[in-house]
Amino acid sequence: MSLQHRLLDDPVLRYRDPSGQQHDVTLPELFVALTDDAVRDFPALRPHQRHPWHAFLTQLAAITLHGAGQTAPFGTAKQWRAALLALTPDDPDGAAFSLVAPDDRPALLQAPCKPGEPRTWKKRPRLAPDALDMLVTSRNHDVKAARMIHARPEDWLYALVSLQTQEGFLGAGNYGISRMNGGFASRPAFGAVPQGGLGKRWQRDARRLLDHRQEIVDDKGFKEENGVALVWLRAWDGAGSLSFSELDPFYIEICRRVRLNAVNGTLRALTTTSKTTRIAAKERLGATGDAWTPVAVVEGKALSIGARGFDYKLLTKLAFTGEFAPTITREISDDDGKEGIVLLAQAIARGQGKTEGYQERRIPVSQAMRQAYLSGETDPLAQAAERRIAIIGAVRKVLWSALCGLFGNGESAASDHIKDKADRFASPFEQEEDRRFFEDLIVEIDAPTTEARQLAHEQWLAGLAERAEHVLTRAFVDGPRASLRRYRAQSAALARFFGGLHAGKNPLQTLARVLKEKGHGHFWNRVLNEV
């Protein structure tokens, strides 16, 4: 079998430049384009593949540059090709960077095995790259499975990267990666992205890896030099695992036994199970020195994303508090520029035998945030954010109680059905506050003086109460219809809502004062007296 779809020599990859023009390139040529920040996007890349692809390119660049004793990217494709080949001295023809190679030789993200062995594997061949990819959907409702019948080689490449570097446990013999906290977890990413194209972030993150290499080695016990960096170079019969002490700190892993081959020019994937994980790392709980994965300081385990995704509460912990150690790529320096920086969070939310959606969210880094990161003083930001989180929770609780009064016809006790209905109406309120949370917070923390920050906070409080009131009044149409019952239910709801805010219990003292100063006090008293 000859080598096919050789990334070092064949234009397998496509990217679009800032003008939208498409380019077909080799991997070395892509690295040159990234160095020139000439890459706008990859047209065939699916959303859930974005982080694995970025991590793959970044880790590979860092491995290559360190191996060549370089700190800056090479300027030509010829130099990149030579340095990449130097990583695989036993395969100088580029087999390890080809999608198809003889079975007993490494292919890209595919470990060698015995000649002809893949044809004895009992699993049915995967005829489409999305059948190989890591997404697990429910009855084809989310993303249709195995629909990429007329796929290009790059589609198979992206599927391979996605499977081998972010997949979890999926039944006996189908083990997940080492860079996640357990088989049903995820490989989340959280880091800063500078202004510019994809190449800016790629160069920045590769430089971060190189700058922190020794720190990662010392902290995690990797092999300082000559460790296994490209895990697919080692033959794997499915029975043995690699230890961390054998690995390079930037290692790119594989978790499944896969071989691609071509039948009449059409690619397909042959797969089988393994008896154990490729990397023995269960006790590390996903804390592997990954440049993008947040790790909890107390538990020492990697973050795992659930169905709620990156909501405002979790992002506050990641961005401002000390609950999670800052990732290597979240650290901001003067080299990142003064404007246009964003914090990017990405992950597949996984469950037991399923995925619960791709999650991605961006937070603009304001001037106050940038200065706090540069100085290491983020406590004031955390306090401002946590104060707002507590207030939103308290207002939601008041709103929920008012909705229970509305749907319960003014009765003091509410059935489970009424509570569930109130939840359905109160949840969109919190979701809307989640959506605008950081935009509103930045107005306050970027204000130039203490007085200006207090004014911004009070304006936010007034707007928050107004938005909650709109949710309540919109729910009136779903309350009782009979005139007497409708009046009683709506009056009870208003009494609970205004009374709860007017009481000013912690943490709503400031909100009660602000609304009273704005003339709401007389209105509240009138409503309560009418009830």
Side-chain angles (χ1 to χ4, degrees):
M1 180 189 300
S2 61
L3 304 183
Q4 297 183 43
H5 310 302
R6 304 167 300 165
L7 268 68
L8 298 187
D9 299 296
D10 300 334
V12 174
L13 299 165
R14 289 180 297 161
Y15 75 85
R16 287 185 292 217
D17 63 25
S19 69
Q21 183 178 354
Q22 183 171 292
H23 302 263
D24 294 64
V25 294
T26 65
L27 180 60
E29 289 169 344
L30 174 61
F31 278 166
V32 172
L34 287 168
T35 302
D36 295 337
D37 197 24
V39 179
R40 188 188 75 183
D41 61 18
F42 299 95
L45 194 67
R46 305 170 82 189
H48 72 280
Q49 298 168 339
R50 289 171 185 161
H51 175 63
W53 181 236
H54 170 73
F56 172 81
L57 293 176
T58 303
Q59 290 168 259
L60 183 57
I63 291 167
T64 305
L65 292 172
H66 176 75
Q70 292 283 118
T71 57
F74 296 107
T76 68
K78 183 178 180 180
Q79 290 173 312
W80 274 112
R81 185 183 185 281
L84 286 164
L85 275 179
L87 301 177
T88 63
D90 295 333
D91 298 280
D93 58 355
F97 294 101
S98 301
L99 293 183
V100 178
D103 297 334
D104 59 349
R105 300 187 63 195
L108 186 65
L109 296 167
Q110 305 161 65
C113 58
K114 296 178 181 178
E117 180 184 353
R119 290 153 189 79
T120 69
W121 292 345
K122 295 181 180 180
K123 285 192 174 184
R124 296 177 60 186
R126 311 293 178 90
L127 302 180
D130 50 334
L132 178 68
D133 204 341
M134 58 83 63
L135 278 181
V136 180
T137 59
S138 175
R139 297 180 182 270
N140 279 339
H141 290 169
D142 299 327
V143 178
K144 299 296 183 182
R147 65 189 180 92
M148 300 175 67
I149 302 300
H150 303 292
R152 296 169 60 114
E154 67 175 332
D155 297 316
W156 285 99
L157 168 62
Y158 296 147
L160 267 176
V161 172
S162 178
L163 172 77
Q164 297 286 42
T165 66
Q166 71 169 350
E167 179 62 293
F169 178 77
L170 195 61
N174 296 300
Y175 296 98
I177 64 170
S178 63
R179 296 190 187 273
M180 65 168 56
N181 176 28
F184 301 124
S186 56
R187 184 190 181 186
F190 186 70
V193 179
Q195 189 174 42
L198 298 183
K200 285 287 187 181
R201 183 189 180 204
W202 171 77
Q203 291 183 67
R204 173 194 187 273
D205 288 0
R207 186 167 59 251
R208 290 287 192 278
L209 279 171
L210 292 169
D211 290 345
H212 288 80
R213 181 182 173 89
Q214 191 61 50
E215 175 188 327
I216 299 172
V217 169
D218 295 341
D219 186 44
K220 303 301 179 186
F222 290 109
K223 194 170 184 178
E224 187 167 352
E225 296 295 339
N226 302 316
V228 179
L230 310 181
V231 174
W232 65 89
L233 297 183
R234 293 284 188 93
W236 185 30
D237 61 3
S241 298
L242 295 172
S243 68
F244 251 58
S245 60
E246 299 177 74
L247 299 177
D248 183 271
F250 304 155
Y251 72 97
I252 303 174
E253 67 182 309
I254 59 172
C255 63
R256 300 290 175 83
R257 299 179 70 196
V258 180
R259 295 295 299 194
L260 296 185
N261 65 21
V263 177
N264 297 323
T266 301
L267 288 174
R268 65 174 184 169
L270 302 175
T271 64
T272 190
T273 58
S274 62
K275 295 180 180 179
T276 186
T277 58
R278 186 61 184 116
I279 296 172
K282 182 178 180 180
E283 73 285 353
R284 294 183 178 266
L285 303 176
T288 64
D290 186 55
W292 301 273
T293 300
V295 175
V297 172
V298 176
E299 297 98 333
K301 61 183 181 181
L303 170 69
S304 187
I305 301 300
R308 288 180 63 93
F310 294 100
D311 67 359
Y312 66 116
K313 297 176 184 177
L314 175 58
L315 282 175
T316 291
K317 295 176 182 178
L318 295 177
F320 303 136
T321 76
E323 186 168 333
F324 289 89
T327 63
I328 291 172
T329 54
R330 199 218 72 176
E331 297 178 0
I332 291 176
S333 68
D334 287 328
D335 294 340
D336 293 320
K338 296 182 178 181
E339 297 180 346
I341 306 170
V342 299
L343 296 176
L344 175 61
Q346 300 167 292
I348 288 283
R350 300 187 75 254
Q352 188 165 347
K354 61 182 179 180
T355 53
E356 297 182 347
Y358 172 68
Q359 309 289 335
E360 180 173 312
R361 188 164 179 179
R362 296 170 183 264
I363 305 173
V365 176
S366 71
Q367 290 302 314
M369 291 170 62
R370 179 178 177 274
Q371 289 301 320
Y373 285 139
L374 290 174
S375 65
E377 299 177 357
T378 59
D379 285 349
L381 305 184
Q383 292 166 6
E386 289 173 336
R387 177 173 61 166
R388 288 186 174 222
I389 289 172
I391 292 170
I392 291 171
V395 172
R396 186 192 188 282
K397 185 175 181 180
V398 170
L399 173 62
W400 180 85
S401 177
L403 289 165
C404 285
L406 174 67
F407 299 133
N409 298 322
E411 300 294 335
S412 57
S415 66
D416 289 341
H417 171 71
I418 295 300
K419 293 178 181 178
D420 289 342
K421 190 173 182 179
D423 274 334
R424 291 197 301 272
F425 277 79
S427 292
F429 163 74
E430 185 175 13
Q431 291 167 359
E432 171 61 18
E433 295 309 313
D434 183 348
R435 183 191 64 79
R436 58 183 296 157
F437 183 83
F438 291 98
E439 179 181 344
D440 288 346
L441 177 65
I442 287 172
V443 174
E444 176 182 337
I445 63 178
D446 269 17
T449 65
T450 301
E451 292 76 12
R453 288 191 289 274
Q454 181 62 27
L455 177 61
H457 183 68
E458 292 179 357
Q459 290 174 339
W460 172 77
L461 286 171
L464 180 69
E466 183 178 345
R467 292 190 291 274
E469 182 183 351
H470 286 167
V471 172
L472 177 60
T473 56
R474 286 198 301 268
F476 283 176
V477 298
D478 288 278
R481 297 298 178 89
S483 59
L484 182 60
R485 296 175 65 189
R486 181 173 69 250
Y487 176 78
R488 178 182 178 183
Q490 292 180 2
S491 297
L494 289 170
R496 290 189 185 188
F497 181 75
F498 289 126
L501 297 184
H502 190 58
K505 294 182 179 179
N506 187 39
L508 299 181
Q509 302 98 321
T510 304
L511 174 60
R513 174 183 61 79
V514 167
L515 295 180
K516 185 175 182 180
E517 291 175 355
K518 290 181 176 295
H520 289 255
H522 174 71
F523 174 67
W524 290 358
N525 291 332
R526 178 175 59 81
V527 171
L528 295 174
N529 288 335
E530 289 179 358
V531 175

